[in-house]
Amino acid sequence: MKMTFGRWIAACVFGIALVAVTLLPPGLSDGDPYFFWRPPSRNTEFVMSRRARIRAQHGQSLWYAYQSARDVETAMRVFGAQSAKSSGPQDPVVWFDSDVPALARLQVNNAIAAERAARGAWRGHGAVGVLVFTDTATTIGGVPMSWGTYAGNTVMTQLIPPSKSTGDRCVTVIKLGRHAAHGEAFPDGRLLDGCAFYDAFGAPGPAIAAWLAQENFRVARSLSFAPPDMVRNLVRPTDYEAIFDNASLVRCAGGDLAACPSLMHRDQSRPIYYSDWYGGPDRSIPPSDESSRRFNSLGGSSYLEALMRDLGPGRFQHMWQSTKSLEDGYFEATGEPLAAWLHRQTVMYDGAYHIGPLPTPTSALLTMIAVLALAAASVRWAVRPYAA
């Protein structure tokens, strides 16, 4: 068979396709994050649109700051004068705002009771308070709040860390949207948010308590003793820092254990709140001690929840109440560094990653085989000149 021009083109196309399939990464799925950019067609409209987004985000931040201040003031007023000291098991103290319907009160109490009962004897070991509000406002002074309308269909939780002003109670703030306040689509678990760790294991040691407060509880927002569901993803921190900077996550998945501990520690030199992706941080509004807003889709596991499952409740409580840091307490309980556990978790949920610009050994081998096969085919079927 002679190597005609058409066959040569076909062989080249086949070789290019083989190399592309072997070396190129897979395309993004619908759930993968992606960013796009296009040049503005009209600069004036772009500048006006950017200013409008910054103003809208600033208004949203002001509204959240007002709600947070109200939550903290209510927690101080309701729980500040109450003593959290008790020698026996303690039940969460639940406070309802005056406009919470009776049906919603019943559902909240039942959901919290079911959540605690699912943990068996691991409950009542720490002081927990619960504030329940309705979150149904869509206008301020007749002006529509475009940023507040989404809250009407769900349940949202936040957390206020324990302090003397809250009677040394970990306080969970539950806000019910319009539908949830009237008994529709009400979640059936994890309403205690991160305060479930206090209810199950008591107050943490001073080093871990300080770390949780510094991290704004971003790695301890859920607790369940149910067997892990592999379909459910590990919940990642949701602040902007984690969205825009996942280098540590990638390097940890690639086996760089030195990068793994940073997954449990936020970079304190960087701001949390951004007024706009293009506008930078909004420094006019100080961040609150209250944790971020968590909507109760009830999917996923927090880092500490996954750690509790691996250690078991007994060993986890010993580490939780230790005077040592989380890293030292984990090493004492298991004999391995926490970075090794974080690496396994990252690979389990996100898959392994190859660090560096070179392809993997398998890809390199397939590439060399493809090149040799094409070269052999060219030599075998190339047209040879005839002797005169």
Side-chain angles (χ1 to χ4, degrees):
M1 184 176 65
K2 296 182 178 180
M3 178 60 74
T4 63
F5 181 78
R7 290 172 180 170
W8 173 257
I9 294 297
C12 291
V13 172
F14 174 78
I16 293 173
L18 180 62
V19 172
V21 171
T22 305
L23 297 181
L24 293 181
L28 293 174
S29 65
D30 293 337
D32 290 330
Y34 65 94
F35 300 96
F36 62 91
W37 177 87
R38 63 178 182 179
S41 58
R42 296 184 180 132
N43 189 56
T44 302
E45 292 182 1
F46 174 77
V47 172
M48 293 177 63
S49 174
R50 181 172 178 267
R51 289 176 179 174
R53 288 196 301 269
I54 292 176
R55 290 193 184 101
Q57 186 67 32
H58 181 70
Q60 180 184 21
S61 299
L62 285 174
W63 174 244
Y64 290 166
Y66 165 77
Q67 288 187 313
S68 177
R70 182 197 62 173
D71 298 342
V72 173
E73 187 277 330
T74 305
M76 294 170 59
R77 174 168 49 86
V78 174
F79 304 117
Q82 299 183 20
S83 174
K85 305 299 181 180
S86 176
S87 58
Q90 306 178 64
D91 291 329
V93 178
V94 184
W95 175 92
F96 293 94
D97 202 1
S98 58
D99 61 348
V100 179
L103 176 59
R105 299 185 183 210
L106 177 63
Q107 289 182 313
V108 168
N109 285 326
N110 290 341
I112 292 176
E115 176 183 350
R116 300 179 71 232
R119 296 198 300 266
W122 294 98
R123 53 178 169 167
H125 296 158
V128 174
V130 180
L131 303 178
V132 185
F133 299 94
T134 57
D135 189 16
T136 59
T138 57
T139 62
I140 296 181
V143 179
M145 295 190 308
S146 59
W147 58 80
T149 55
Y150 65 84
N153 302 320
T154 186
V155 174
M156 186 268 295
T157 60
Q158 291 176 273
L159 186 151
I160 301 174
S163 64
K164 292 183 179 180
S165 61
T166 63
D168 293 322
R169 292 182 183 275
C170 180
V171 178
T172 299
V173 181
I174 301 175
K175 295 178 181 177
L176 308 175
R178 291 186 300 277
H179 292 182
H182 293 87
E184 302 176 28
F186 198 86
D188 58 358
R190 304 199 186 194
L191 281 186
L192 290 182
D193 204 301
C195 289
F197 286 95
Y198 285 76
D199 182 56
F201 307 112
I208 293 181
W211 164 69
L212 288 172
Q214 186 179 40
E215 293 297 312
N216 210 233
F217 279 78
R218 70 188 184 104
V219 295
R221 300 300 303 274
S222 61
L223 176 64
S224 173
F225 281 22
D229 183 359
M230 293 306 297
V231 178
R232 184 184 293 166
N233 290 328
L234 189 70
V235 172
R236 302 297 180 196
T238 55
D239 55 51
Y240 280 104
E241 175 191 348
I243 293 175
F244 287 107
D245 182 12
N246 63 349
S248 297
L249 182 66
V250 172
R251 297 199 65 83
C252 182
D256 184 1
L257 297 186
C260 295
S262 61
L263 299 178
M264 306 286 275
H265 299 278
R266 179 171 55 85
D267 185 356
Q268 299 296 320
S269 64
R270 300 182 57 181
I272 301 177
Y273 304 110
Y274 283 71
S275 61
D276 185 82
W277 285 358
Y278 306 99
D282 188 349
R283 301 184 186 278
S284 63
I285 303 174
S288 170
D289 291 335
E290 192 176 36
S291 66
S292 60
R293 302 159 71 91
R294 175 181 180 269
F295 295 92
N296 272 283
S297 61
L298 306 183
S301 301
S302 65
Y303 274 118
L304 283 193
E305 180 182 28
L307 186 59
M308 183 279 302
R309 286 199 179 111
D310 284 359
L311 291 179
R315 285 203 299 171
F316 181 86
Q317 185 182 45
H318 179 75
M319 182 194 69
W320 173 263
Q321 295 181 341
S322 170
T323 58
K324 300 180 179 180
S325 65
L326 182 72
E327 289 84 352
D328 293 340
Y330 179 82
F331 184 81
E332 183 181 69
T334 63
E336 71 167 358
L338 182 64
W341 179 85
L342 287 169
H343 170 66
R344 291 197 302 271
Q345 291 291 312
T346 303
V347 172
M348 181 187 303
Y349 287 96
D350 297 323
Y353 180 80
H354 176 72
I355 298 177
L358 297 177
T360 61
T362 302
S363 298
L365 178 62
L366 291 176
T367 301
M368 289 188 290
I369 292 175
V371 171
L372 291 175
L374 292 174
S378 299
V379 172
R380 169 65 179 80
W381 288 293
V383 177
R384 294 174 174 81
Y386 294 94

